[in-house]
Amino acid sequence: MAIHPQYAPDFKIRIKGQPLPPALRAAVMSVRFENAAKEMDRVEVQIFDPKLQWLENPLFKTYSELSLAIGYAGNLKEVFVGEITGKQASFSGGASTITIEASDRGHRLMGGTKERSFGKLPDPAIIAFVAIENGLIPSVNVGSAAALAALAILLGKPRFQQNKSDYEFLLE
């Protein structure tokens, strides 16, 4: 038994709201969480898979929800909710592993480029429109949105999305 169990690093991964099966949890070799200001949040989970039993498991179906909580034993904090976006198999030194990749739902904004005009719509309205169009739920401050809408009508200039992904356009 550990002398100070509160200092034992721990994690909890859920897929489609369910915790990993015990055999799969025991096979997890590493968990990597990335959070950057101008990038999507990402998670990579490396799994020891010598019999290739997890490679084609339906649990890892693309676009399945994946959440990650990290911290110390008995004190975990959820830091990520996103979707499985890919998996990789690796065969090195006789050991086979798979890596499950997940990105926050903002990855939906990355697909393809568009050319369109939003006229003089205020930024919060444009953001809400693009979010809904990509299956995301916008979070808009109603008071700020109303003030910006009035300013956009009076002083605004037309907004154009020219050959950019929704993500690139919103970053501008």
Side-chain angles (χ1 to χ4, degrees):
M1 177 175 242
I3 296 173
H4 298 285
Q6 72 271 23
Y7 299 120
D10 198 8
F11 68 91
K12 181 182 281 187
I13 295 172
R14 292 182 171 276
I15 298 179
K16 298 179 191 175
Q18 300 299 312
L20 295 180
L24 177 56
R25 170 76 162 89
V28 172
M29 296 172 60
S30 69
V31 176
R32 181 177 175 192
F33 169 63
E34 294 179 34
N35 175 269
K38 289 193 174 188
E39 299 293 326
M40 310 270 169
D41 288 354
R42 293 178 27 101
V43 168
E44 290 182 358
V45 181
Q46 188 177 33
I47 300 164
F48 182 61
D49 194 13
K51 297 178 184 175
L52 299 178
Q53 63 187 4
W54 302 114
L55 185 61
E56 294 301 323
N57 192 298
L59 191 63
F60 301 127
K61 184 177 177 184
T62 305
Y63 302 115
S64 295
E65 182 179 272
L66 183 143
S67 65
L68 170 67
I70 57 175
Y72 294 97
N75 189 21
L76 300 180
K77 178 182 177 190
E78 187 172 79
V79 295
F80 177 86
V81 176
E83 298 173 330
I84 294 174
T85 54
K87 59 185 169 185
Q88 300 174 11
S90 177
F91 303 93
S92 176
S96 59
T97 62
I98 61 168
T99 302
I100 305 304
E101 301 168 352
S103 296
D104 67 30
R105 288 184 178 90
H107 77 88
R108 297 176 183 181
L109 300 168
M110 302 288 276
T113 60
K114 297 175 183 162
E115 294 201 22
R116 57 188 172 176
S117 171
F118 290 96
K120 288 187 174 185
L121 276 176
D123 291 347
I126 294 170
I127 292 167
F129 176 83
V130 172
I132 291 167
E133 181 181 57
N134 285 281
L136 303 171
I137 299 170
S139 176
V140 178
N141 179 317
V142 177
S144 297
L148 286 171
L151 284 174
I153 292 167
L154 295 171
L155 308 170
K157 58 181 182 171
R159 300 274 191 201
F160 298 97
Q161 181 176 359
Q162 296 177 319
N163 201 29
K164 294 186 175 163
S165 70
D166 289 339
Y167 184 75
E168 292 168 318
F169 174 67
L170 292 177
L171 277 180
E172 288 181 345

